[in-house]
Amino acid sequence: MSESPLLEIAGISKSYPVRHGGDGRRELWALDDVDLTVAANTVLGIVGESGCGKSTLARTIVLLEEPTRGTVRFDGVDIHALQGDQLRMFRRRVQMVFQDPYGALPPRMDVGTAVEEPLSIAGWGTGATRGERVAHLLELVGLPASLARRYPHQLSGGQRQRVNIARAIALDPDLLVLDEPVSALDVSVQAQVLNLLRDLQTRVGLTYLFISHDLRVVRYLCNEVAVMYLGRIVERGPARSVFERPAHPYTAALLGSIPDLGGKGGMTSGSRLRGEVPSPIDRPPGCPFHPRCPIAREICATERPELRLAPASGSYSACHFADEVAGASGLRERL
Ligand code: SF4
């Protein structure tokens, strides 16, 4: 394994032209100058409210979106410049699992054919070896061989997502990008699929980028966490630091709203936050969180804080008062 990070995201921004009121065309910035490095074997959770840019980030990493600015390097190579064999190899090494387990499966293919499809497209093995590989993959994801001749509409949601995972790992990828992979499943099934993902990660030696709005799920699975707000990463660090000593008021408010994570209970994620997320078309100046931040001061409305190490937490935070938030100054009680 190389020493350099598996994935390096540098200054990624993504804008979309939109019509806006009487102003005509404006730019909606879904991602705003995102930097992120991911080492091999990391399980990185990317969290934030709906519309924070986490799915756009995931889609940029798997080449479903072109960044407006910035670069994404995989194993040291700019992925948006890849062509020919290098591009084909990248598509084998980086796979995505989507939220909707039904929509992601070809409806007229039985399970065996659907799991074999990525192998066939890549020209992997012979008919016989592909058959053995399909049987092995079904076993890896905890599905009986008898399901191979069933069709997606004959499966439960959890079984469908297991088939999607089998397809995603068929070509032995290095990186799996999982975009809300359990949020469409029943809670009891969520736990089973999360256990499967955790088991696979250690057995197969995968790196995960796990996109989720659910902090409980991220705490269960991830060893690193990045928190996004309005297209930016506002906190990034080891999961233990972020969950036990959040160094950004937004992270603290998200955690505080969830009873299992030490919140006061009775609320859903984000409900302790005042106001709505501002429009990404009219981004607030200074710290983008300042209109909602309960501890905002004068500087927050004018100077944008950069991501810096907060020694009191061990995480990186984009807050002017990160150490005070992470420390025992009494600020936390106001969040
Ligand atoms: Fe709140 Fe200011 Fe920190 Fe932004 S920089 S999160 S407004 S305290």
Side-chain angles (χ1 to χ4, degrees):
M1 200 65 70
S2 64
E3 291 289 307
S4 58
L6 187 64
L7 186 71
E8 292 173 272
I9 295 168
I12 283 285
S13 296
K14 176 69 186 174
S15 73
Y16 302 95
V18 288
R19 289 193 176 281
H20 186 64
D23 300 348
R25 277 164 65 95
R26 297 277 297 276
E27 294 294 319
L28 181 157
W29 288 92
L31 294 176
D32 182 12
D33 202 16
V34 171
D35 294 323
L36 199 59
T37 56
V38 185
N41 286 315
T42 301
V43 180
L44 171 66
I46 300 184
V47 298
E49 290 167 287
S50 167
C52 69
K54 51 192 192 306
S55 288
T56 306
L57 182 62
R59 292 171 63 81
T60 306
I61 292 164
V62 297
L63 294 174
L64 291 174
E65 296 280 358
E66 184 94 13
T68 307
R69 287 197 292 264
T71 55
V72 179
R73 291 182 178 276
F74 181 75
D75 237 358
V77 179
D78 180 351
I79 64 168
H80 291 94
L82 292 175
Q83 290 183 329
D85 286 348
Q86 278 191 317
L87 179 58
R88 274 189 286 281
M89 185 50 71
F90 172 79
R91 293 198 189 281
R92 286 176 71 148
R93 296 183 64 193
V94 179
Q95 295 283 330
M96 186 154 179
V97 176
F98 294 91
Q99 177 178 7
D100 175 9
Y102 194 61
L105 283 177
R108 290 191 184 80
M109 266 186 203
D110 64 35
V111 167
T113 311
V115 174
E116 188 180 349
E117 187 187 44
L119 300 166
S120 312
I121 290 172
W124 190 98
T126 62
T129 54
R130 284 200 296 272
E132 287 167 19
R133 176 80 179 147
V134 168
H136 175 62
L137 288 164
L138 291 179
E139 190 200 328
L140 263 183
V141 299
L143 289 175
S146 58
L147 243 62
R149 296 295 151 239
R150 299 260 185 90
Y151 288 84
H153 70 271
Q154 298 173 305
L155 307 179
S156 68
Q159 287 172 330
R160 283 182 205 133
Q161 201 56 308
R162 285 174 192 265
V163 176
N164 282 314
I165 293 167
R167 278 162 61 87
I169 63 171
L171 289 163
D172 263 334
D174 297 293
L175 174 65
L176 266 196
V177 178
L178 302 124
D179 190 2
E180 302 271 11
V182 298
S183 61
L185 305 176
D186 292 343
V187 173
S188 60
V189 181
Q190 281 189 5
Q192 293 166 14
V193 174
L194 287 173
N195 284 336
L196 166 67
L197 288 171
R198 194 149 87 163
D199 183 44
L200 274 181
Q201 197 270 329
T202 45
R203 279 174 75 181
V204 186
L206 285 160
T207 304
Y208 286 167
L209 218 72
F210 190 90
I211 312 286
S212 180
H213 69 282
D214 189 334
L215 287 156
R216 281 170 292 208
V217 166
V218 169
R219 187 171 74 161
Y220 178 74
L221 195 70
C222 302
N223 50 31
E224 295 268 332
V225 180
V227 181
M228 291 191 72
Y229 185 77
L230 266 184
R232 290 177 68 80
I233 292 177
V234 295
E235 184 161 5
R236 160 84 204 267
R240 174 174 281 222
S241 301
V242 173
F243 282 110
E244 292 180 5
R245 286 198 167 274
H248 194 283
Y250 179 61
T251 314
L254 286 178
L255 292 173
S257 68
I258 301 171
D260 298 4
L261 298 179
K264 292 181 179 157
M267 289 172 269
T268 56
S269 175
S271 63
R272 286 171 62 118
L273 294 164
R274 67 184 191 194
E276 298 294 320
V277 181
S279 164
I281 302 169
D282 284 315
R283 304 168 57 78
C287 172
F289 189 56
H290 87 261
R292 303 175 79 192
C293 182
I295 60 164
R297 301 177 196 171
E298 215 173 314
I299 184 178
C300 304
T302 53
E303 281 189 31
R304 188 160 92 168
E306 298 303 326
L307 214 53
R308 272 195 288 268
L309 179 66
S313 162
S315 69
Y316 286 77
S317 165
C319 172
H320 293 305
F321 308 104
D323 268 327
E324 291 176 61
V325 174
S329 68
L331 269 185
R332 285 268 290 285
E333 282 66 60
R334 293 171 54 193
L335 299 170

